[in-house]
Amino acid sequence: MATQKRFIAGAICPRCAEMDRIRSWEQNGIRYRECVSCDFFEQLPIEEETPPELETRISQSREEQTSQSDDLQTVRILDPGQRH
């Protein structure tokens, strides 16, 4: 069965700088990318590890959030049309 190659929307070729010319496919545990406008070709091993989750206020525990809230300061926003 033939491997289906898919274009990557918005991708810019690192060699010729053309947009929407990169296509990608996977075969035998290797990810391939190539440009249809120039001779750019790249192969990357497929990593099974998932990237670590980005730390956000949602993913933090309550203890971590409370320790960080001690550093917060109140900001007073002034109305530029009002004289002080």
Side-chain angles (χ1 to χ4, degrees):
M1 184 175 165
T3 303
Q4 186 173 5
K5 298 178 181 181
R6 298 176 186 254
F7 281 93
I8 304 171
I12 297 174
C13 176
R15 183 164 294 143
C16 69
E18 290 288 326
M19 183 185 288
D20 295 333
R21 303 284 191 213
I22 299 288
R23 61 184 180 176
S24 176
W25 70 97
E26 296 176 4
Q27 191 173 12
N28 301 326
I30 299 175
R31 178 172 292 129
Y32 298 95
R33 293 189 322 164
E34 70 178 357
C35 178
V36 296
S37 294
C38 69
D39 60 348
F40 172 76
F41 180 79
E42 179 178 51
Q43 59 185 27
L44 304 164
I46 298 174
E47 298 176 8
E48 295 298 324
E49 295 180 20
T50 57
E53 182 179 350
L54 293 175
E55 190 162 318
T56 64
R57 63 184 173 87
I58 304 298
S59 66
Q60 293 178 349
S61 67
R62 288 234 181 242
E63 293 81 31
E64 291 173 352
Q65 289 179 10
T66 16
S67 68
Q68 289 181 357
S69 66
D70 296 340
D71 299 337
L72 298 179
Q73 296 179 353
T74 304
V75 176
R76 183 172 162 218
I77 301 175
L78 303 175
D79 183 7
Q82 187 179 18
R83 296 222 169 206
H84 299 279

